[in-house]
Every structure is written in structure tokens, then in C-alpha cells.
Amino acid sequence: MQLALWSVLLLGSTAHARCTLAALETTLVAGPSPRRTDRWTWRVEEGPADCVEVHLASPPGAPIEDVQVEVQRVDARAPRLEGSRRSAVATSADPGFGPSPGLVLHTPELRHGDLLLVEVERPWPLPPDGFTWRPGARGPLELATLRVEGAVAVRAEGLDLGPGEQERDGARTWLVEGIAAVPPEPLGLEPARIPGPAVVTLELALLLPERKPVRGLSDPRHGATRHSHHQVGGLPSRVAWPVDARDRSCTVDGAPCPEVGGMAWSLPAEGDATWTWTVPGAAASGELALAGEGRRGEVRLAVVAPGPVALDGASQRGLAPASPDAALAPTARWRLSRLGDLPILPDPVAAEQAAAWLAIRASIPEPALYEELRGRRQDPTVLVDLLALHHDRLRVGSLPGQAPLEPRRLLKVRRSGWGTPWELALVLTRQLQQLKLDARPFAARPAELGPGDPASLVGWPLALVRLRAGGQELWIDPTCPTCAPGELRPLFDGARLLSSTGEALPALPASTWRREVSPRDDGQELRVSLAGPLAVELRAELGAVPADERPAWLARRFGGAGARLVEHRGLAERGEGVDLRLWAPAGSDLPPPLPAASADGAPGLLLPAAGTWTERRVLPVAEGQADARWRAAEAEGLRWDRSVAVEPGLLVLDERLEIDARVLARPGAAAVLSRLHQEWGRPAAGSTPPAGSPPPAPGPPAGP
């Protein structure tokens, strides 16, 4: 199979797209209060864009004072950028400045051929020796222009600018092409520290109007939420406040917190800190995670409204400490069941009805069936054709603060070209129903988030569409362009559905992962096979890799440094397993089959999938080695067996790892993964089973 056809053979139109940094226009106004304006232009080459989120640093001395965002479209009217487009971060990933606090700009509507224009205005400190321009600080770009107003010496990092052109108004201008990457601006800060052991209290106050308090729950113009944080010890170095926050304040041991870049507060390593802000909107239900190793705390809730208030999962005085039923972080939940005599979210039936009512409201008027499918009904290929159109015209995305189960109008979703998982599920469901097919959308919650509250409208970040036809049932992920109908990625394994009638997602099939390693005269030959949800996930991950980087990405993923992809099968065939053949240098370290366990202190450990991982390595024979088979390690839901066999002139090592569920208890599973990373595929000469190691349970051998 020719690798020259890679971008077509792999995923076709779903290929990853680079956003090329095309141009930069910089204007510097010198004087007593020098100011700088940068106007960046990105060009979307093909497929889904990878610049839907742009980080902008706001360092001390050069804080962002104004940002303008525009999308230009050549073949159609430019989209209107409605809704909130900014979110604040304590540590920005802006490559031009380093890890300072800043903003993230969100433009999920970007598509092939678009131009993204971002203009940033800020004060700019000028050292005595003049202005240094670094147009390549964000990376290579095609074209850059500089305009300087006022008397100041100008030079450029990595460029010979020359005297420039003199304009009639006295300004000087320069134009350069083919700019290479240069180091970032020397204004950045250190990254924000990871919060350490601490006692944390978060108090939430839902502020509802005295007259018609329910309006405060449905309209952010009439309701608000006040966040008050109190933390002792283990303070992070910075806290960023929301961009729409008002009435914000921060103190440490009674003294005001210093602000950093106009976006965040700086906190010392120790102390008694309190910070607060108020944001628009008050939610009838909510869920908060308290992450961080060694962090203890609680969440308290108050509802400021006339009349009595009934809360489920909390009392009027406050919530109980976070519950440990979530794998990734303990969570605290609340739900406003009654407000005076009016029921709000009293039970799962009310939650399901509320989600259905919001979905119906978003569907009026209903988007028409795609023109290419009009006149067709239930012919054998209509589902495949519909999914191809759906994924070609809609991408998954979101905006800051967007509630997962409060969809926009579906006509607006279609026009914008993007949607949340729930919005995409609604659009797909309406299209299937217009084809006279029995389809229903479901909001879903991944297993790692814990069981959640079935009567809440919060905590359902995923969505699926159930299709019934011909006595069969198919579950469709509306956000996955590389999935065949009925194929689901591992994150849906054990997921729960928002359903008052007990609708449940069937168990996903177990995955298999196998690697065979054989010596060759010029190195090692590797044969890798994946089946089940692991193969589905590999195709989805590959779709996010630039097309020309995919062979190297696969070789590095399964063969390590220096490996090379030789042959592949199944990467473009949805519904099939994946087979790879690779070459690796002799004696090179092969990557372990599973990633290392994270050290974030979460109570659960998230694994790639449930299933079986096996590996067979054929190595030169080692003296003193004898045939043996033993249980290398075991934890709840996890078993690792090993066997060694001696054949004429060769040593055969078989590994077998069985994982019962995608989410396991951390202590035992993390210990097994730590050993696995050190020992998998590495038998020592003369090795024997460890003393006291139990034999593996009766079952299939470690290898085929």
C-alpha cells in the first residue's frame, strides 16, 4: 500500500487541518505611554481547524486592554461571532510570551478556507535601547509588517530590517517575508504552581430577584451567582477570574492580593486566602469537582430568594463534603427541587421533561432534510450517506459557559457549522426522523465522572442517538466522523444515560491489543493488531494528527524512537480492526502498551479501555533460562500474567494483561502499571518467577 496516498486512504475528508499563521501587522506608537497593536491572520487550509482556540498572554507590564476577533469567509457571508468568545486562564499557552495569565479565544465555526483575524492592543514597555520586534515569536509566518510612530530605535530578532520606508505622516514601515521562529518575548512568568495540600471552602450564593425569582434561573439578566473561595495552605501561584466577573476581590491574611496582567491574582505559597466574584446567571442544579492531591474541603450553597427553598443533595446551610464516587475527582452536587410552592427539578422525570422541552424549543423551526437526501427513505445506504453529510458539515465545539443541555436553535447550529454534542445529537435525530426512522437522542455521562444526579441538568457532557430499525438497535456518536454506525469510542464504556425510564447503554465489546516482536538481520519486525473500541479510538486520534505526520506518529506510538511504518490495514475501514507492520532498530526500547498512571491523587484510575493486551517477543536465548509461567501482578479488575519459554536458540516471552473496566481503583491499579512500565517485555537473564508469585488462574495461555 503506497504511503503517498495516506491522506486519502486514512480518513478522507475528515483529515486534520493546520491553521497556517499567514501574516502579522504590528503598530507601535512611541511616546510617554507607548502602545502596541498586533493583528494576526491565520488561514485554515482544509478540514476541521486546529486554531479554534487561540491563547493570548497578558503579562505584567504589557496587559491586554482590547481584543477584536473576526472571521472572514471567501465563498459566503462571514459568520456573526455571537455569545461569549473569551475565557480567562491563570497560565496561557501563548507561544509568543510564555506562561503568563491571559485569555483563550474561541471560534468553533472555523472551516476550510476561512481567515481568522485577531487584533490585540496593549501598553508596551520600551527599554532605553529601543524597540525589539519579534514577529516569529508565535512561530514561522509568511508575511509581517511593522509600523512605528514616534522617535524610537527599532531592531528585529533574527532579521535585518534596514531603515524602512518613511510615510507622509512621519511613521516608518517595514515589510518582511518568510519569517522564522524566534524565542518568545522576555516578559513571561513562571507557570502557575499545582495546588498542594489545602483546606478549601467554596461558598455559592444563587442570587434571584424578589419578584418572579424563577426568571433568575432561566435568564442570566435577572439572576447571578456569587463565588466565595477560602483556602488555607497549598495556594496556587495565580487565580484567574472569569471575564464576565464583577464585584471581585481577593485578600491574603487580610492584605489585598496583587493583580497580574489584569487577568489574575498572585497568591503566596502559604497563608489564609479569600477571593470572591459574581457572575451572571443562576443554575437550578450544579456539580463541582475538588481536584488536587491532599486537598480537603467542602462546598456550601445558599439561595438568596423570597420564600422557602428545598434543595436535594444539600441543605440550606450547605452541601456535604465532596462524594468519592467519581473516578477523576471528588464532586459536590446540588439541585434546587422547589422554590416556594413551585417545583423546579424535583425528580428525574422533571429533568428529562425539561431537557425535552429545551430540545423542542430549539427545533422550531425544524431544519430541513439535507437536499442530497430528499426523496429517499429507508434504502440500505441512506444512513451511511446521512452520516457522511452530517460530519462533513458539522463539527463538535462549544463556547465558554455554554450549558450542555441548553441548545441553540438548530437552524443556527446548521448555519454555524458546529455544535455541542447534544446539539449535534438533536440535529442528527431530526434528520433521521424526517427519513421516517425511529431515532431518539440521549444525553450521556462517562463512567469516570461517577453516577451523577439523574434529576439534574448538569453533568451530561456527552450525547448519543439511538436508532431502531428492522428489529435492531444502533447507538450512534454524532461527534465521531471516524466511527461506523453502531461503533462507539471507549469513553462510552459504562456511560450512563439521562433517562427516567431506566434506558441503559449496552456494554461495549472488549478490546484487544496485540504486538508481536521478532528479530531481523537489520533490526526488529513488529506486528500490531487492535480490535474493538481501541481500534475506534485509534482512528479518532489519528484524525487529529496532520496527514503528513501520521506515518511517523503511528511508528512512534507503537514502535518508539527510530521506528518506521511499513504496512497498514484497517485505518480507513470503519468497523474493522487495525493491523500494522513496523520496523524498529535492534535493541531499541518499545513503548509500553499502556500510559503511565497519572499522579494527580484522584481516587480512580482511568485506563484506555476494557479488554486484553498481549505481546510476544522472540529474543536471543539467555543462559540459565527455563520454561515458566506466573502471575506477575494483580489488582482489583487487573491481571498481568507472564511466561517464558526456551526454543532452539530463542527465548519467547509472552505477556498478557486483562482489564475488566475502564475505571479502576487507584492504589492497586497504579502499582501494577508502575511495575508494568519497568518490566513489560524485559526479561533478565536467568530470571525466574518472583518468590511467592501465584500461578495464573486457569485460562488461555499468555500467548497464542
Side-chain angles (χ1 to χ4, degrees):
M1 192 169 291
Q2 297 296 316
L3 294 183
L5 299 177
W6 191 266
S7 61
V8 177
L9 291 172
L10 276 185
L11 301 171
S13 62
T14 64
H16 170 102
R18 280 193 180 96
C19 289
T20 302
L21 188 54
L24 166 65
E25 303 172 42
T26 299
T27 300
L28 177 72
V29 180
S33 301
R35 302 187 64 78
R36 172 175 177 169
T37 302
D38 291 302
R39 183 179 174 88
W40 301 92
T41 301
W42 283 266
R43 183 176 60 245
V44 183
E45 302 293 351
E46 63 174 331
D50 62 357
C51 56
V52 294
E53 293 184 356
V54 172
H55 285 248
L56 300 173
S58 187
I64 295 174
E65 293 190 348
D66 188 41
V67 177
Q68 300 294 327
V69 186
E70 180 184 357
V71 174
Q72 293 184 357
R73 190 159 287 169
V74 176
D75 58 348
R77 179 183 300 176
R80 293 178 59 189
L81 302 185
E82 300 175 336
S84 175
R85 297 287 165 166
R86 309 176 189 180
S87 57
V89 289
T91 299
S92 169
D94 183 346
F97 284 90
S100 295
L103 297 173
V104 182
L105 303 182
H106 303 262
T107 51
E109 50 271 284
L110 287 177
R111 69 185 193 190
H112 175 218
D114 284 352
L115 294 178
L116 172 65
L117 291 82
V118 177
E119 183 176 295
V120 181
E121 184 177 349
R122 63 179 91 218
W124 193 258
L126 288 177
D129 58 350
F131 173 63
T132 300
W133 189 38
R134 295 177 174 86
R138 289 196 75 104
L141 70 158
E142 300 171 3
L143 179 70
T145 61
L146 171 64
R147 175 184 170 88
V148 176
E149 301 176 12
V152 62
V154 178
R155 60 181 175 275
E157 182 82 21
L159 295 171
D160 182 10
L161 283 182
E165 297 288 335
Q166 194 78 25
E167 302 292 333
R168 290 184 177 180
D169 58 2
R172 290 170 292 161
T173 60
W174 291 264
L175 186 150
V176 292
E177 297 179 310
I179 296 97
V182 299
E185 300 281 355
L187 297 174
L189 301 174
E190 293 297 320
R193 293 189 298 274
I194 298 175
V199 177
V200 183
T201 302
L202 170 58
E203 296 184 356
L204 299 178
L206 306 183
L207 310 178
L208 304 179
E210 289 191 14
R211 296 184 60 189
K212 301 181 179 180
V214 176
R215 294 182 65 185
L217 298 172
S218 59
D219 191 336
R221 296 173 298 177
H222 298 282
T225 303
R226 184 171 62 242
H227 295 245
S228 300
H229 304 75
H230 180 224
Q231 184 165 308
V232 179
L235 295 177
S237 61
R238 288 192 295 273
V239 171
W241 56 79
V243 294
D244 57 352
R246 64 177 188 268
D247 302 329
R248 62 178 188 268
S249 65
C250 176
T251 60
V252 176
D253 295 331
C257 305
E259 292 190 5
V260 182
M263 300 284 176
W265 291 300
S266 177
L267 304 179
E270 297 294 338
D272 188 319
T274 300
W275 61 95
T276 183
W277 58 66
T278 301
V279 293
S285 59
E287 182 173 288
L288 293 168
L290 297 178
E293 189 171 1
R295 290 164 68 81
R296 298 180 292 109
E298 62 178 357
V299 178
R300 300 172 184 169
L301 178 70
V303 180
V304 182
V309 172
L311 291 165
D312 284 359
S315 66
Q316 181 66 30
R317 297 177 57 191
L319 278 75
S323 59
D325 57 2
L328 300 188
T331 59
R333 295 185 291 268
W334 78 88
R335 176 166 43 86
L336 187 59
S337 56
R338 301 189 69 86
L339 189 57
D341 296 330
L342 185 66
I344 303 299
L345 288 173
D347 51 41
V349 173
E352 189 174 24
Q353 289 175 344
W357 180 84
L358 291 169
I360 292 172
R361 185 182 67 174
S363 302
I364 300 173
E366 184 170 294
L369 186 66
Y370 290 120
E371 185 177 357
E372 295 87 339
L373 300 178
R374 292 174 188 171
R376 295 177 60 179
R377 287 296 180 261
Q378 300 182 24
D379 64 75
T381 63
V382 69
L383 177 58
V384 174
D385 294 342
L386 170 58
L387 290 177
L389 289 167
H390 173 81
H391 293 302
D392 183 60
R393 299 182 184 182
L394 291 171
R395 313 289 183 188
V396 66
S398 64
L399 290 177
Q402 189 173 7
L405 296 186
E406 295 183 19
R408 299 169 294 154
R409 301 284 182 182
L410 299 190
L411 282 177
K412 182 177 291 185
V413 173
R414 282 268 295 264
R415 285 196 300 266
S416 68
W418 67 274
T420 65
W422 182 239
E423 289 171 342
L424 297 187
L426 294 178
V427 171
L428 181 59
T429 298
R430 301 298 182 252
Q431 295 284 296
L432 289 167
Q433 290 172 344
Q434 290 185 50
L435 291 168
K436 308 303 181 184
L437 293 169
D438 181 4
R440 179 184 172 185
F442 286 90
R445 179 182 178 88
E448 57 263 30
L449 295 184
D453 182 356
S456 173
L457 293 180
V458 175
W460 306 93
L462 308 177
L464 291 169
V465 176
R466 186 192 65 193
L467 176 63
R468 287 175 171 170
Q472 295 184 328
E473 188 174 88
L474 285 178
W475 292 86
I476 301 172
D477 179 0
T479 70
C480 181
T482 59
C483 297
E487 270 192 331
L488 296 179
R489 294 170 291 164
L491 82 163
F492 286 102
D493 196 8
R496 293 168 172 83
L497 303 178
L498 179 59
S499 171
S500 62
T501 57
E503 298 280 357
L505 183 66
L508 268 63
S511 293
T512 60
W513 184 102
R514 178 158 182 79
R515 182 169 61 190
E516 298 181 4
V517 185
S518 304
R520 293 291 182 265
D521 292 340
D522 61 344
Q524 305 178 85
E525 182 182 77
L526 282 61
R527 292 185 177 271
V528 179
S529 298
L530 284 76
L534 273 180
V536 180
E537 183 67 20
L538 179 65
R539 278 189 283 265
E541 291 180 11
L542 206 58
V545 178
D548 58 347
E549 297 178 12
R550 290 173 184 165
W553 183 87
L554 285 166
R556 187 170 55 251
R557 167 85 172 265
F558 296 101
R564 185 175 67 245
L565 182 66
V566 178
E567 189 178 9
H568 64 83
R569 185 193 67 80
L571 290 172
E573 290 76 29
R574 299 170 177 85
E576 301 292 333
V578 173
D579 296 308
L580 307 173
R581 185 162 66 91
L582 306 99
W583 173 91
S588 62
D589 286 334
L590 303 183
L594 296 177
S598 62
D600 55 9
L605 188 65
L606 185 63
L607 298 173
T612 304
W613 278 253
T614 60
E615 178 165 297
R616 166 166 288 190
R617 296 199 190 192
V618 180
L619 308 167
V621 70
E623 294 296 331
Q625 195 79 50
D627 291 2
R629 180 168 177 247
W630 70 96
R631 170 70 43 85
E634 186 171 10
E636 183 179 356
L638 195 66
R639 293 166 300 283
W640 175 21
D641 295 338
R642 311 186 79 185
S643 70
V644 173
V646 178
E647 298 180 0
L650 295 173
L651 179 71
V652 180
L653 172 66
D654 280 311
E655 310 269 17
R656 182 183 184 89
L657 179 68
E658 296 179 350
I659 300 175
D660 293 340
R662 187 167 174 260
V663 180
L664 298 177
R666 171 172 289 276
V672 172
L673 285 188
S674 178
R675 275 195 57 195
L676 183 144
H677 267 254
Q678 299 175 20
E679 301 177 21
W680 182 278
R682 297 180 177 91
S687 67
T688 57
S693 175

